[in-house]
Amino acid sequence: SSTGAGVTVAVIDSGVAKHPDLAGSFVRGVDLIAGTDGRVDANGHGTHVAGIIAMTANNSIGGAGLAPGVSIMPVVVADPGGSVRAADSARGIIWAVDHGADVLNMSYSGSASSVERKAIQYAQSKGVVTVAAVGNAYLDAGGSLYNPVQYPAAFRGVLGVGSVTKSLRRSPFSEVGKQVDIVAPGGTGPFDSRKGIFSTYSSLGYVRMPGTSMAAPYVSATAALAISRQRTLGMDVNIEDVLLGTATDLGTPGRDDEFGFGMVSPVAALDTIAN
């Protein structure tokens, strides 16, 4: 009932490489770090995120994104090491909104910033759906509980996305708290193990990566599917409410700090948007 056609998703990240399985629609992007058009990715993270959303369907290679009909807007705010400064995040958010993004995917996390908060509020004032990973620091390097509240996921109105494994358990790294609104597949295990999420990856072709960074694009893609569907039907619904209201409840009945409102359910979300 929807491929996300007509919807623009800004992948605010490390860029999106020119990959053979990302041959769909792209709109103008920006590189706030190195000045490119965003179609390069020195890290690989942004390309992986974009693939989860929009890998080309029915082309007999790789996989298919959840919303392969969307237009991807690459917005580079991460340095080659993957670090994102709050000021660059804010600039990227505002640029994406001003250039027509419908959904912002922010698969990064850090401490609170008033500049970033104001950019998020600007996006929301324009009706843009804001989605962010809640972070992978449930434990510190020594294995002790850490779990800091991270942003932009914890800002008001942002859909904070946690990660679950194939067995629908919380991924060991996925943070918990009031900032968790919804969860999606994020896998587990080390980089490129069988337990990670399969997607495109710069010049290396494909890898499997774990993380709340991988969970967030499933929610962004579902938002895009729902936006496209409502536009086709000439309806006006609150996309955030649709996603949270149709999530599959996990853990303690009702909303909880581990799974939020539950696992994102694209089919259930679309089923609620009908004539």
Side-chain angles (χ1 to χ4, degrees):
S1 59
S2 179
T3 64
V7 177
T8 297
V9 179
V11 175
I12 306 178
D13 212 292
S14 61
V16 181
K18 293 178 180 177
H19 191 286
D21 210 5
L22 286 170
S25 178
F26 279 78
V27 297
R28 178 188 171 196
V30 68
D31 184 342
L32 299 174
I33 304 301
T36 74
D37 64 356
R39 293 306 310 276
V40 296
D41 186 0
N43 181 276
H45 190 275
T47 304
H48 199 272
V49 166
I52 293 169
I53 299 168
M55 273 188 288
T56 306
N58 302 317
N59 64 348
S60 300
I61 63 171
L66 179 55
V70 303
S71 294
I72 293 291
M73 175 189 289
V75 178
V76 181
V77 298
D79 65 25
S83 297
V84 179
R85 297 189 314 136
D88 292 328
S89 169
R91 290 168 62 208
I93 290 165
I94 292 169
W95 193 95
V97 173
D98 287 346
H99 289 81
D102 299 297
V103 181
L104 307 182
N105 188 92
M106 299 168 286
S107 286
Y108 51 88
S109 55
S111 56
S113 159
S114 61
V115 172
E116 190 177 50
R117 174 177 54 80
K118 290 175 181 177
I120 289 288
Q121 290 172 338
Y122 175 69
Q124 293 167 348
S125 75
K126 299 295 184 180
V128 176
V129 178
T130 52
V131 180
V134 299
N136 302 329
Y138 182 72
L139 301 176
D140 65 17
S144 299
L145 181 65
Y146 183 41
N147 198 56
V149 176
Q150 301 208 67
Y151 299 82
F155 286 129
R156 184 179 180 87
V158 175
L159 289 172
V161 186
S163 168
V164 293
T165 66
K166 187 176 181 179
S167 60
L168 300 185
R169 298 177 183 271
R170 181 183 62 81
S171 300
F173 50 75
S174 186
E175 297 186 40
V176 303
K178 293 181 180 179
Q179 72 275 23
V180 181
D181 297 302
I182 196 166
V183 295
T188 187
F191 178 85
D192 209 20
S193 77
R194 292 180 61 189
K195 295 182 179 180
I197 302 299
F198 179 88
S199 187
T200 46
Y201 189 74
S202 296
S203 61
L204 297 180
Y206 304 89
V207 298
R208 295 179 183 272
M209 291 173 66
T212 57
S213 284
M214 285 62 252
Y218 282 110
V219 174
S220 295
T222 303
L225 295 176
I227 292 169
S228 180
R229 177 71 170 157
Q230 72 164 358
R231 288 176 178 172
T232 297
L233 297 177
M235 301 174 68
D236 185 15
V237 300
N238 184 298
I239 299 300
E240 291 89 345
D241 285 351
V242 168
L243 267 59
L244 299 180
T246 57
T248 302
D249 193 21
L250 298 175
T252 304
R255 195 224 160 263
D256 60 73
D257 285 352
E258 192 170 15
F259 301 103
F261 286 92
M263 169 102 154
V264 67
S265 179
V267 173
L270 293 172
D271 282 348
T272 67
I273 304 173
N275 286 323

